[in-house]
Amino acid sequence: MRHHRILIDPRVQGVLGALAIALSAPLVALSGVSSTTATFFRCLFALPILVILARSRERGQRPTPAARRRHVLAGVLLGIDMVLWSEAILSVGAGVATALVNVQVVLVPLAGLLWFGERPPRAFWLSIPVMLAGTALAGGLADGGAAGSDPWYGTVMAVLAGVAYAGYLILLRRAGTDGGGRTTMLATATAASASVGGLSGLFAGNLDVTPPVSALVWLFVLAVTGQVLGWLLIGRALSALPASGGSAVLMLQPAAAILFGAALLGQWPTPLQLAGCALVVAAVGAVSFLGGRSSGNDQHRPVPGPDELGRDRPREPVSGLL
């Protein structure tokens, strides 16, 4: 029973979801395929799983036409994020690209403040420089990670990827009250992301529709961990946590990806990268666990819909894992 109570804590769900998504980069590397091919197949493999889960768990919950359009937009934004971030890595290097794409840590809480009236705690704003500095160190910025063929182009691509990622996260937070349920939203968004990956690959000429079997196995593992389990957990956490807490938890991804890269690829981090990972973990812990104590029940507040803004409503705790 105690373990169950721990697992339904949205902060724990967010951490587990971030760890699942952090597996994405090493798994893509193990597959050996292009970024557009990985985006297309991870979404293609995840789609039937999500459809089955949505039909079994959310039967009778049909999203409105407006909600479905938002779900499609969320998937398009996620697909754009995946493609642009990969482009930025090639142009400006992994360190700078990883740091810049995490502009979401500022944009998502600002959206929560402007649209939902959620005021981030002071600890969150104080932790932002620490989290971004730690992410840059973890990505290898201080160890030559800024190398790239076109730094200006890569910087623009990384920032645009971060904006698209922030938009996806904002829409994902709304899914709990948007109609149709989170799994239905994720299934629709995944179909849209697959379309973006496929069309981008056809346009760029790097979509491989017949990758080797070994690559398909790794991409299937990626679909189950990163695309299904990871986003279901994060969707639950984001709709229960304040925007600042959920955004901070997601900063664990780049640090965790470094550690997974060491375990799965033998790419051992330098001392500065390990120091960056430690900075990120410490800052996220301070915001998500220590900072949450001062906000009381705010961390369990579901994201309101447009008709509920400016109106008081009961705050409900998270009642299940997925």
Side-chain angles (χ1 to χ4, degrees):
M1 182 63 71
R2 183 186 176 198
H3 294 297
H4 177 70
R5 286 198 300 269
I6 293 174
L7 288 176
I8 65 174
D9 187 320
R11 295 168 298 185
V12 175
Q13 293 176 0
V15 169
L16 293 176
L19 292 177
I21 292 179
L23 281 167
S24 299
L27 290 175
V28 169
L30 287 169
S31 72
V33 299
S34 68
S35 60
T36 55
T37 302
T39 299
F40 176 74
F41 277 99
R42 70 182 285 181
C43 294
L44 186 67
F45 288 151
L47 188 56
I49 301 174
L50 291 168
V51 169
I52 292 172
L53 288 174
R55 290 180 63 87
S56 62
R57 300 177 64 88
E58 299 170 357
R59 187 180 300 274
Q61 300 182 41
R62 289 186 175 273
T64 64
R68 193 174 292 279
R69 286 194 293 271
R70 285 192 290 271
H71 298 172
V72 172
L73 176 60
V76 171
L77 290 173
L78 181 61
I80 291 173
D81 163 59
M82 293 178 185
V83 173
L84 292 183
W85 185 48
S86 299
E87 188 77 5
I89 289 174
L90 295 175
S91 301
V92 76
V96 175
T98 301
L100 292 176
V101 81
N102 276 289
V103 295
Q104 64 84 15
V105 76
V106 177
L107 296 179
V108 174
L110 283 178
L113 175 63
L114 295 175
W115 293 343
F116 309 130
E118 296 179 357
R119 293 185 176 275
R122 182 178 300 177
F124 171 75
W125 297 115
L126 294 175
S127 71
I128 286 178
V130 179
M131 286 188 283
L132 293 179
T135 301
L137 287 174
L141 182 58
D143 297 318
S149 59
D150 193 340
W152 284 107
Y153 174 75
T155 297
V156 172
M157 292 298 101
V159 171
L160 291 177
V163 172
Y165 186 40
Y168 170 74
L169 294 175
I170 292 167
L171 292 172
L172 184 61
R173 293 191 75 225
R174 276 288 309 278
T177 55
D178 224 4
R182 294 183 190 86
T183 311
T184 299
M185 178 271 188
L186 187 57
T188 304
T190 297
S193 295
S195 301
V196 171
L199 292 174
S200 299
L202 290 175
F203 179 78
N206 60 357
L207 177 65
D208 184 1
V209 294
T210 58
V213 174
S214 59
L216 293 175
V217 171
W218 289 119
L219 292 174
F220 178 78
V221 174
L222 170 59
V224 173
T225 55
Q227 197 67 27
V228 176
L229 182 60
W231 284 118
L232 284 175
L233 285 166
I234 287 177
R236 169 68 73 175
L238 288 179
S239 61
L241 290 169
S244 58
S247 185
V249 165
L250 290 177
M251 292 293 287
L252 289 172
Q253 293 178 49
I258 294 294
L259 301 180
F260 285 137
L264 297 176
L265 304 174
Q267 298 175 349
W268 297 102
T270 66
L272 282 176
Q273 286 180 301
L274 289 176
C277 294
L279 277 177
V280 171
V281 172
V284 170
V287 171
S288 300
F289 291 88
L290 300 180
R293 294 176 181 176
S294 62
S295 59
N297 289 335
D298 282 349
Q299 64 186 352
H300 297 298
R301 180 183 180 184
V303 179
D307 58 331
E308 299 168 310
L309 297 179
R311 197 175 67 184
D312 291 335
R313 59 171 293 173
R315 295 177 180 177
E316 304 169 6
V318 176
S319 58
L321 177 61
L322 294 178

